[in-house]
Amino acid sequence: MKTNKKTVLLLFILTFFAVQNFYSQKTNLKLAENNLCKLYSNISKEDDLVYENSEKFEKEFIKILKENPSTLDYDFKTLIDKKYCYVKTSSDGNFRIYSWDTETGGTMHFFKTVYQYKNNSKVYLKVPTYEEGDAGAFCSKIFDVKIGNKNFYLPITNGIFSTKDASQSISVFNIEGNKLVDSEKLFKTKTKTLNRIDVEFDFFSVVDRPERPLQLISFDAKRNIIYIPVVNEKLQVTEKYFLYQLSDNLFTYIGIEKGKRK
């Protein structure tokens, strides 16, 4: 079959502009990211402007995310490499968590978080509100699991309340239409079901562990088991783990196991 020359020319033009648009978006996002890096680096330069500068960064970051749905696929490499922001994305690419230290605390760190997610090719943003005194947490990992016909996301978040006091948590999210749902209770203990498990611990009991951020809570995708570290009465992390295994659409407590995990 012969191809019409006009059709070939039209396809070439459309492809050319599509490529140009792609690189233009990448360039614009890179410029926006560089500006964010400048804003973040300015936060703690002047003590009397810390809160103001922190708010400037937050507002600009949220604006960029709202106006550019393609940020869901952008790597934000410079922002991450400079340790200005944690950017964690689910393995299916549909759910992302941005979190950063506002630099407005001392030994107690205050974090802000923004959720970005996609459904039916549309990208949405959810910006949580914080009560006064809420320190927030940063996300260090997102585990994915499919239960029935639903995709669930299990982010690991970390709170820093002093040089000694810290926490690590695992919670449940899923996407329904244009909503990000955080109310599903997938963790079944001996007495109740939960949407979230929190572990408060003494940081100095694990300070010698090499990994940063700490990987205390883990998920074995092959065995469908979540490992939650056991802490003693002094909040020191032990070598024991509570095990929650996926069964009948819930992660059900099955006992305690001893042994080091990476």
Side-chain angles (χ1 to χ4, degrees), residues 204-223:
F204 293 115
S205 69
V206 287
V207 69
D208 291 333
R209 289 181 60 148
E211 81 277 6
R212 292 292 184 274
L214 289 166
Q215 299 173 27
L216 303 181
I217 299 174
S218 60
F219 175 52
D220 185 334
K222 290 183 178 179
R223 299 174 64 195

Side-chain angles (χ1 to χ4, degrees), residues 23 37 39 46 52 100 105 119 121 128-130 158 178-179 181 190 193 202 204 220 225 234 240 242 247 253:
Y23 283 108
C37 289
L39 288 173
E46 299 175 84
E52 182 180 330
W100 64 93
N119 194 24
S121 300
T129 55
Y130 294 84
N158 308 265
N178 63 351
K179 302 294 184 183
V181 179
K190 290 181 179 180
T193 55
D202 178 351
F204 293 115
D220 185 334
I225 294 178
K234 295 182 179 180
K240 295 180 180 179
F242 296 113
S247 175
Y253 172 72

Side-chain angles (χ1 to χ4, degrees), residues 14-229:
L14 290 174
T15 302
F16 174 79
F17 281 107
V19 171
Q20 288 294 102
N21 183 55
F22 171 79
Y23 283 108
S24 176
Q25 284 184 342
K26 293 282 283 186
T27 301
N28 289 339
L29 287 178
K30 186 61 183 174
L31 290 173
E33 181 185 14
N34 289 340
N35 183 49
L36 285 173
C37 289
K38 289 179 182 178
L39 288 173
Y40 194 92
S41 67
N42 285 335
I43 291 177
S44 55
K45 283 184 176 178
E46 299 175 84
D47 290 343
D48 56 338
L49 294 176
V50 167
Y51 288 92
E52 182 180 330
N53 289 336
S54 183
E55 192 172 312
K56 281 182 182 178
F57 171 81
E58 179 182 350
K59 286 182 176 179
E60 184 62 21
F61 200 2
I62 292 171
K63 179 184 176 184
I64 289 167
L65 297 176
K66 280 183 176 178
E67 294 179 353
N68 299 275
S70 61
T71 48
L72 183 60
D73 301 313
Y74 183 68
D75 58 18
F76 285 102
K77 187 177 185 305
T78 305
L79 208 58
I80 294 169
D81 288 348
K82 288 181 176 291
K83 302 187 185 306
Y84 291 163
C85 185
Y86 295 90
V87 181
K88 299 299 174 181
T89 311
S90 61
S91 61
D92 63 9
N94 290 332
F95 180 52
R96 175 177 276 190
I97 299 178
Y98 302 91
S99 48
W100 64 93
D101 192 329
T102 65
E103 300 290 344
T104 58
T107 57
M108 183 176 185
H109 293 244
F110 289 86
F111 296 95
K112 288 292 182 72
T113 295
V114 175
Y115 303 104
Q116 192 176 34
Y117 55 101
K118 180 171 66 177
N119 194 24
N120 293 326
S121 300
K122 288 199 68 175
V123 177
Y124 304 92
L125 205 68
K126 182 175 181 179
V127 182
T129 55
Y130 294 84
E131 295 182 3
E132 188 174 352
D134 186 349
F138 71 90
C139 177
S140 55
K141 199 172 188 65
I142 299 176
F143 297 115
D144 305 34
V145 62
K146 188 162 188 174
I147 301 177
N149 61 352
K150 285 186 178 181
N151 291 319
F152 289 96
Y153 307 103
L154 312 176
I156 303 298
T157 53
N158 308 265
I160 303 173
F161 310 112
S162 72
T163 53
K164 175 179 179 292
D165 303 303
S167 71
Q168 190 164 105
S169 309
I170 184 169
S171 54
V172 181
F173 289 84
N174 66 293
I175 301 166
E176 294 184 3
N178 63 351
K179 302 294 184 183
L180 183 63
V181 179
D182 62 357
S183 57
E184 293 271 5
K185 295 180 178 180
L186 293 187
F187 308 127
K188 184 179 180 181
T189 71
K190 290 181 179 180
T191 59
K192 54 189 174 181
T193 55
L194 304 168
N195 167 263
R196 178 187 180 100
I197 297 176
D198 299 299
V199 180
E200 295 183 354
F201 64 94
D202 178 351
F203 173 73
F204 293 115
S205 69
V206 287
V207 69
D208 291 333
R209 289 181 60 148
E211 81 277 6
R212 292 292 184 274
L214 289 166
Q215 299 173 27
L216 303 181
I217 299 174
S218 60
F219 175 52
D220 185 334
K222 290 183 178 179
R223 299 174 64 195
N224 275 326
I225 294 178
I226 294 172
Y227 293 81
I228 307 292

